[in-house]
């Protein structure tokens, strides 16, 4: 027997108690959708998981109206401290139901259980804990005292990190006092619907969180709805561009987190074993379905052969298969459509003269799979070096000097993330300073933290999520009258608190108006 | 069992280094090796630690752990009686289950070697033949603070008394002071002292005492140095300094061994020692070996656990797998 053929270690699905059909979650309840329902399938086996309701324009109206009511009557009037309590409660419920959420995520999305268990779900809880702490500290969000919530947020999220993207969107919005209507991706609605149950369990006031399911037309109806004050979207650049056009000229605020073609730059003095791990993590984490994936490896020419050789050896140890097996490293591609796109671009790579190498692994009969693949001899003009593949495919390019590395790294319409591998601290700082990417990792990759802002340059979108910046995206500064006299809302919400604050303000204020005056 | 012959080790070192193994040459070589990123190394080790080893894989792993154990007693209070008891446990770890494999070796202080050899009797021999080796710690173990003459005499005596394997300590003070040439020469000299009159040689395990080297860069350099100087095995710790064996340190040493094999074709062994007490942890080490250097390293000539209490935990797990329920500490014997 070979030890490395580890015996199957499947995570049990018994913890799930899925319904056969899911409705829309509007105003605190599950209701029927008025569009044609669709099926959610497991990408690893193509088996049906559940029937999912489809929201039409009338359903979107209902959801936005519910969110508006909840905002005006309850959520915006509640003290930050109380909003924080709800968010803490949600965070704890996510932790309590962590295993269930991880199994559901792997089932619906196809990602390995070790990732949903060790990365996605813990980060979801972390995001709610983090923004729960912000809810009563909005004065320190960088927008001056008493910033205001925007109102109703329309949030559309992708299928690569279904629950995590939900958390990135909902947690800051709620902390800031907004209410939300969220649409998960049509291929991965399951965890969002379980999250709706958590919202019920947390006793969140009705209508504060509404979750509607459907395809692109549902998303377009939501984003284009007149009752929406804020649009937050994560997904492809093409859709992001359409959304930007759709909301142009309206009062809606927008943040977009779009595609990427990140450069992972490996210098010849890099800690080589860890760099190889970082490259693997950069592009094969979540089957490469990561907008900030390190899909372009820029390796210094002097160590190119060694790095590629080590990379191939390492890839040969990756285990592709059942996402629910605890030893699986590479799960299923999320949909047939995505698999076709990966194949098409890979074939284009071969046609353009790049050399393709795929890890030797057995591909299961059913489901959508793509073996981890490396392209060498890639030129900057090749499609696989320019277009986002969004799959487990790495393009290897070389450079000779730091200047060349920076130039090549920046030579893309995207600018979401980048990686730098070197033992030299000063080089990390110098190179990072010149990279036009929203996130730069040094000697690591794909690390996320709720306190760290995340977002892109150029066609990777605008706005930041995470940290204080992510909170600011759901707030507007108080108008002059509201700081001076207090809005009816503020008076109603916490008259005692504002009275308490006054003496402190007097001692603190003098410096600020003076500064403002000087700036003008 | 016989280690690499000294002549080839020295010639190989000269070829690799491109010069005499003095401080300057060694420094150039060892400091030219790529550095180690601590965060990344520990992240990788933690990742390997999440492998889920169940059912048939677990059963195989438990038996394999036993056959890779250097059952150890290194106490000031050791007596011939204690050593006989240890040897009895090594030969027959679980008296209730005759299918239990034997351990690879017993590891004792130099003066206890004759008692171990005597107690083993006909079972004394190569673990590849299902027999049990005798390993002796030497060279002023655990501190190594003694003159080279005494270290060599210590080694020679243990070999003369029948030790098959010598676990030496490096001079950490010299290493940290950058006197790589001195450390190299001492290892080479101890290797020479491992030689028996018939031309064969005891296998040499070189203890780095990673808890005193502190940084991963130091561990990597010390690993290369020890292999260059002719060590057959590199071993993490004496067990007398904390932290002793850790998964990241062992992973790092395995990476050196893998790179050395790629470069020279020679297979070097790795022995984590100290602090591995639970089967669950030991299985993580097996996974790390298999996924770093390959499964063929999971044999007594290339991988060992330096441990004492680990064996009983493995036996308890083994009984649990056979009967379906946990027994208790009184269902395994103390040695």
């Amino acid at each position: 027997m070979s030890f490395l053929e580890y015996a199957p270690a499947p995570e049990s699905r018994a913890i799930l108690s899925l319904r056969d059909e899911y409705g829309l979650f509007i105003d605190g309840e599950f209701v029927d959708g008025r569009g044609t329902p669709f099926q959610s399938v497991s990408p690893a086996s193509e088996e049906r998981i559940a029937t999912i309701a489809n929201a039409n324009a009338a359903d979107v109206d209902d959801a936005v109206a519910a969110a508006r009511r909840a905002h005006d009557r309850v959520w915006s009037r509640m003290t930050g401290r109380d909003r924080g309590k709800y968010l803490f409660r949600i965070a704890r419920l996510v932790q309590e139901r962590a295993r269930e959420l991880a199994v559901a995520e792997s089932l619906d999305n196809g990602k390995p259980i070790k990732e949903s268990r060790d990365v996605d779900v813990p980060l979801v809880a972390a995001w709610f804990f983090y923004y729960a702490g912000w809810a009563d500290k909005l004065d320190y969000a960088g927008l001056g005292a008493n910033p205001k919530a925007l109102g109703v947020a329309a949030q559309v999220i992708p299928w690569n990190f279904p629950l995590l993207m939900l958390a990135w969107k909902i947690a800051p919005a709620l902390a800031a006092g907004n209410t939300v209507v969220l649409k998960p991706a049509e291929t991965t609605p399951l965890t969002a619907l379980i999250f709706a149950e958590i919202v019920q369990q947390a006793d969140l006031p009705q209508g504060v969180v509404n979750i509607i399911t459907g395809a692109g037309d549902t998303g377009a109806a939501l984003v284009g709805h007149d009752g929406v004050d804020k649009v937050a979207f994560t997904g492809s650049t093409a859709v992001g561009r359409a959304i930007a056009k759709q909301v142009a000229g309206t009062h809606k605020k927008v943040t977009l987190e779009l595609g990427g073609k990140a450069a992972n730059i490996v210098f010849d003095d890099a800690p080589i074993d860890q760099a190889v791990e970082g490259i693997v993590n950069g592009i094969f984490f979540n089957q490469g379905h990561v907008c900030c994936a390190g899909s372009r490896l820029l390796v210094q020419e002097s160590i190119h052969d060694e790095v590629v050789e080590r990379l191939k050896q390492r890839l040969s140890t990756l285990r592709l298969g059942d996402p629910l097996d605890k030893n699986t490293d590479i799960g299923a591609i999320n949909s047939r459509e995505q698999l076709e796109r990966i194949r098409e671009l890979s074939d284009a790579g071969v046609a353009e003269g790049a050399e393709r190498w795929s890890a030797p692994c057995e591909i299961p009969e059913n489901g959508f799979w793509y073996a981890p693949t490396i392209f060498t001899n890639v030129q900057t003009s090749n499609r696989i070096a320019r277009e986002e593949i969004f799959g487990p495919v790495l393009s290897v390019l070389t450079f000779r000097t730091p200047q060349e590395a920076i130039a090549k790294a920046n030579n893309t319409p995207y600018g979401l993330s980048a990686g730098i591998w070197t033992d030299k601290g000063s080089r990390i700082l110098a190179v990072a300073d010149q990279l036009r990417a929203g996130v730069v990792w040094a000697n690591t990759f794909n690390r996320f933290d709720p306190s760290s802002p995340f977002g892109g340059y150029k066609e990777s979108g605008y706005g930041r999520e995470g940290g204080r910046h992510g909170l600011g995206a759901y707030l507007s500064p108080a108008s002059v009258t509201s700081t001076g006299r207090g809005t009816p809302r503020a008076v109603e919400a916490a008259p005692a608190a504002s009275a308490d604050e006054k003496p402190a303000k007097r001692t603190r204020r003098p410096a600020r108006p003076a500064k403002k005056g000087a700036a003008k | 069992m016989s280690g690499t012959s000294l002549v080839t080790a020295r010639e190989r070192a000269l070829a690799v280094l491109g010069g005499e193994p003095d401080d300057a040459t060694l420094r150039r070589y060892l400091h030219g090796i790529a550095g180690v990123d601590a965060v990344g190394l520990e992240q990788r080790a933690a990742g390997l630690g999440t492998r889920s080893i169940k059912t048939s894989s677990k059963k195989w792993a438990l038996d394999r752990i036993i056959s890779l154990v250097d059952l150890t007693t290194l106490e000031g209070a050791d007596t011939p009686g204690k050593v006989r008891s240890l040897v009895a446990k090594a030969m027959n770890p679980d008296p209730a289950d005759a299918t239990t494999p034997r351990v690879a070796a017993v590891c004792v202080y130099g003066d206890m070697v004759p008692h171990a050899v005597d107690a083993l009797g006909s079972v004394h021999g190569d673990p590849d033949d299902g027999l049990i080796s005798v390993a002796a710690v030497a060279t002023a173990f655990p501190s190594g603070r003694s003159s080279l003459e005494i270290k060599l005499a210590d080694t020679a005596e243990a070999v003369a008394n029948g030790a098959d394997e010598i676990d030496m300590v490096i001079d950490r003070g010299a290493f940290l002071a950058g006197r790589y040439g001195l450390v190299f020469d001492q290892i080479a000299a101890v290797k020479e002292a491992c030689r028996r009159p018939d031309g064969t040689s005891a296998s040499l395990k070189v203890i780095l005492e990673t808890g005193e080297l502190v940084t991963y860069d130091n561990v990597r350099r010390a690993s290369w140095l020890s292999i260059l100087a002719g060590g057959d095995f590199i071993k993490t710790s004496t067990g007398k300094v904390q932290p002793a064996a850790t998964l990241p340190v062992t992973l790092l040493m395995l990476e050196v061994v893998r790179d050395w094999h790629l470069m020279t074709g020679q297979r070097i062994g790795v022995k984590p020692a100290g602090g591995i007490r639970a089967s669950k942890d030991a299985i993580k080490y097996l996974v790390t070996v298999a996924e770093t250097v390959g499964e063929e390293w999971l044999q007594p000539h290339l991988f060992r656990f330096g441990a004492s209490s680990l064996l009983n935990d493995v036996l308890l797990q083994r009984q649990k797998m056979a009967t379906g329920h946990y027994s208790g500490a009184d269902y395994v014997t103390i040695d």
Side-chain angles (χ1 to χ4, degrees):
Chain A
M1 172 204 140
S2 162
F3 176 58
L4 280 171
E5 288 166 23
Y6 302 137
E11 180 66 63
S12 169
R13 284 172 59 169
I15 193 164
L16 286 180
S17 52
L18 295 179
R19 307 175 194 190
D20 190 55
E21 290 181 16
Y22 281 91
L24 310 171
F25 185 69
I26 295 175
D27 216 9
E29 282 172 3
F30 281 100
V31 298
D32 291 338
R34 280 165 276 189
T36 314
F38 58 97
Q39 315 288 335
S40 193
V41 299
S42 159
S45 61
E46 299 175 60
E47 64 170 319
R48 170 190 172 279
I49 302 171
T51 300
I52 309 292
N54 193 348
N56 69 6
D59 296 319
V60 172
D61 281 342
D62 288 355
V64 172
R68 174 62 59 194
R69 275 196 304 277
H71 176 264
D72 292 350
R73 294 183 191 166
V74 186
W75 200 244
S76 68
R77 294 166 178 240
M78 194 182 278
T79 60
R81 224 172 108 188
D82 286 341
R83 286 200 307 273
K85 278 187 206 166
Y86 282 109
L87 289 169
F88 276 122
R89 201 182 283 171
I90 290 172
R92 286 193 299 269
L93 286 166
V94 166
Q95 286 184 320
E96 270 171 37
R97 297 177 69 168
R99 231 182 92 207
E100 178 190 355
L101 289 167
V103 172
E105 196 76 307
S106 286
L107 184 65
D108 201 24
N109 167 280
K111 66 174 65 196
I113 185 78
K114 74 167 191 187
E115 289 178 9
S116 50
R117 178 195 66 199
D118 296 343
V119 182
D120 293 51
V121 176
L123 279 174
V124 169
W127 238 268
F128 278 101
F129 276 120
Y130 175 79
Y131 280 110
W134 265 115
D136 61 353
K137 303 174 191 72
L138 300 183
D139 283 0
Y140 305 95
L143 299 167
N146 300 320
K148 287 198 303 184
L150 300 175
V152 175
Q155 307 179 320
V156 179
I157 58 169
W159 45 261
N160 58 341
F161 294 94
L163 191 62
L164 183 57
M165 290 302 107
L166 174 148
W168 282 31
K169 296 279 181 281
I170 291 184
L174 262 49
N178 303 271
T179 54
V180 306
V181 181
L182 176 128
K183 189 195 87 70
E186 59 179 312
T187 59
T188 56
L190 201 59
T191 44
L193 295 163
I194 297 176
F195 181 81
E197 294 174 5
I198 289 177
V199 165
Q200 286 179 325
Q201 220 180 331
D203 226 1
L204 195 71
Q206 291 175 359
V208 172
V209 168
N210 303 276
I211 291 169
I212 57 172
T213 42
D217 52 340
T218 307
L222 174 60
V223 166
H225 198 284
D226 288 339
V228 160
D229 303 302
K230 154 87 186 183
V231 174
F233 172 75
T234 297
S236 72
T237 295
V239 176
R241 196 175 274 132
I243 289 175
K245 280 182 188 160
Q246 201 180 353
V247 300
T250 70
H251 72 291
K252 296 172 195 172
K253 286 202 170 188
V254 190
T255 44
L256 302 171
E257 201 266 90
L258 309 174
K261 191 74 188 175
N264 205 357
I265 307 169
V266 180
F267 288 98
D268 62 0
D269 65 343
I272 208 79
D273 287 309
Q274 287 75 48
V276 168
E277 287 306 315
I279 295 163
V280 171
N281 179 31
I283 184 63
F284 301 113
F285 171 64
N286 201 29
Q287 297 78 246
H289 300 330
V290 185
C291 44
C292 53
S295 50
R296 282 186 299 154
L297 174 62
L298 288 175
V299 57
Q300 196 154 358
E301 215 168 289
S302 54
I303 54 166
H304 170 271
D305 293 354
E306 187 192 351
V307 168
V308 169
E309 196 45 50
R310 282 170 185 262
L311 205 48
K312 286 178 178 174
Q313 281 179 6
R314 177 69 179 86
L315 292 190
S316 306
T317 69
L318 290 178
R319 315 168 77 84
L320 178 144
D322 180 8
L324 286 178
D325 191 296
K326 290 177 222 167
N327 292 325
T328 293
D329 298 314
I330 305 284
I333 302 299
N334 183 250
S335 64
R336 188 182 300 281
E337 187 192 355
Q338 186 58 28
L339 180 60
E340 289 310 321
R341 174 164 173 79
I342 296 168
R343 283 188 178 143
E344 196 251 319
L345 272 167
S346 292
D347 292 345
V350 175
E352 287 183 312
E355 232 167 275
R356 174 160 63 186
W357 180 91
S358 291
C361 46
E362 233 172 88
I363 303 288
E365 251 177 56
N366 295 319
F368 319 125
W369 308 91
Y370 201 85
T373 297
I374 306 178
F375 276 99
T376 49
N377 198 21
V378 178
Q379 311 310 322
T380 47
S381 57
N382 293 163
R383 280 183 72 196
I384 51 168
R386 303 201 61 77
E387 295 180 32
E388 186 177 34
I389 301 174
F390 221 64
V393 181
L394 178 70
S395 301
V396 185
L397 297 100
T398 59
F399 67 88
R400 294 158 296 176
T401 63
Q403 282 69 23
E404 188 181 1
I406 293 162
K408 283 185 170 172
N410 285 336
N411 181 220
T412 166
Y414 296 111
L416 192 54
S417 68
I420 304 171
W421 295 84
T422 171
D423 241 9
K424 195 166 174 174
S426 59
R427 183 181 284 146
I428 292 173
L429 298 175
V431 172
D433 198 37
Q434 296 179 67
L435 290 175
R436 280 180 291 155
V439 180
V440 180
W441 283 292
N443 290 337
T444 190
F445 213 92
N446 275 343
R447 298 270 262 196
F448 306 98
D449 190 278
S451 65
S452 172
F454 182 95
Y457 280 53
K458 300 184 275 185
E459 289 190 22
S460 289
Y462 36 77
R464 291 292 179 269
E465 293 185 305
R468 185 168 60 77
H469 306 72
L471 192 70
Y474 287 93
L475 288 170
S476 64
S479 60
V480 179
T481 47
S482 67
T483 42
R485 295 166 203 157
T487 57
R489 188 192 100 206
V491 171
E492 233 173 297
S498 55
D500 282 348
E501 273 171 22
K502 268 181 187 162
K505 268 184 199 162
R506 257 181 229 129
T507 54
R508 214 171 41 206
R509 280 290 157 194
R512 278 204 181 163
K515 247 190 202 169
K516 267 186 191 166
K520 277 171 190 169
Chain B
M1 144 154 119
S2 68
T4 347
S5 82
L6 183 64
V7 183
T8 47
R10 188 168 182 86
E11 282 170 354
R12 191 181 283 127
L14 287 176
V16 170
L17 293 169
E20 282 299 316
D22 52 28
D23 283 354
T25 308
L26 281 164
R27 185 186 155 77
R28 247 193 321 275
Y29 190 80
L30 298 174
H31 288 249
I33 297 166
V36 184
D37 184 78
V39 174
L41 177 71
E42 287 167 10
Q43 194 180 355
R44 171 69 177 141
L48 287 163
T50 66
R51 289 292 192 212
S52 184
I53 305 303
K54 301 287 183 204
T55 58
S56 55
S57 292
K58 185 174 179 183
K59 193 167 184 297
W60 184 90
L62 291 174
D63 277 7
R64 186 51 56 116
I65 291 165
I66 297 174
S67 66
L68 295 173
V69 161
D70 280 3
L71 196 61
T72 302
T73 182
L74 294 171
E75 301 299 333
D78 282 347
T79 58
K82 165 70 186 175
V83 170
R84 276 197 297 275
S85 167
L86 184 84
V87 167
K89 176 84 171 181
M91 292 196 289
N92 191 9
D94 187 350
D97 184 350
T99 66
T100 313
R102 287 172 176 155
V103 302
V106 290
C107 182
V108 295
Y109 269 114
D111 63 333
M112 291 294 147
V113 170
H115 305 294
V117 169
D118 189 45
L120 281 167
S122 62
V123 179
H124 182 203
D126 193 324
D128 277 356
D129 304 327
L131 303 172
I132 298 175
S133 286
V134 174
V137 296
T139 69
F141 179 96
S143 70
R145 294 258 65 86
S146 179
S147 69
L148 180 61
E149 287 69 34
I150 288 173
K151 292 180 183 180
L152 296 179
D154 198 10
T155 307
E157 187 188 55
V159 175
N161 283 335
D164 309 281
E165 304 168 8
I166 295 296
D167 289 26
M168 72 166 288
V169 291
I170 64 164
D171 184 340
R172 283 87 75 188
F175 179 87
L176 292 171
R179 299 171 68 195
Y180 300 138
L182 179 67
V183 180
F184 183 101
D185 290 344
Q186 289 199 356
I187 297 171
V190 174
K191 174 85 183 169
E192 178 66 35
C194 287
R195 228 193 271 219
R196 303 189 189 93
D198 65 358
T200 61
S201 185
S203 170
L204 180 63
K205 305 198 196 97
V206 183
I207 302 173
L208 311 181
E209 196 64 300
T210 54
E212 288 186 349
L213 300 183
V214 180
T215 70
Y216 291 126
D217 283 329
N218 278 342
V219 172
R220 171 167 282 192
R221 288 172 192 146
S223 299
W224 277 95
L225 180 59
S226 304
I227 296 170
L228 280 164
D232 299 300
F233 254 84
I234 47 177
K235 174 175 168 183
T236 60
S237 327
T238 59
K240 305 294 183 192
V241 169
Q242 290 302 322
T246 66
L247 199 55
V249 152
T250 309
L251 167 61
L252 176 57
M253 289 163 67
L254 286 162
E255 286 172 349
V256 173
V257 161
R258 176 200 61 200
D259 292 349
W260 178 261
H261 177 242
L262 276 175
M263 191 166 83
T264 67
Q266 187 196 0
R267 289 181 165 83
I268 299 294
V270 175
K271 178 178 172 184
I276 306 167
R277 295 187 183 87
S279 310
K280 201 175 172 181
D281 292 331
I283 290 174
K284 292 178 185 177
Y285 282 85
L286 293 194
V287 166
T288 303
V289 172
E291 296 205 20
T292 307
V293 269
E295 239 180 291
E296 69 265 30
W297 248 262
L298 292 176
Q299 50 143 317
H301 281 148
L302 294 173
F303 192 76
R304 295 283 178 87
F305 289 106
S308 42
S309 55
L310 171 65
L311 180 58
N312 271 350
D313 189 67
V314 175
L315 294 176
L316 283 173
Q317 290 293 332
R318 213 173 165 275
Q319 290 174 358
K320 196 261 169 183
M321 290 208 82
T323 62
H325 53 82
Y326 283 103
S327 51
D330 289 339
Y331 293 83
V332 289
T333 57
I334 50 173
D335 51 57

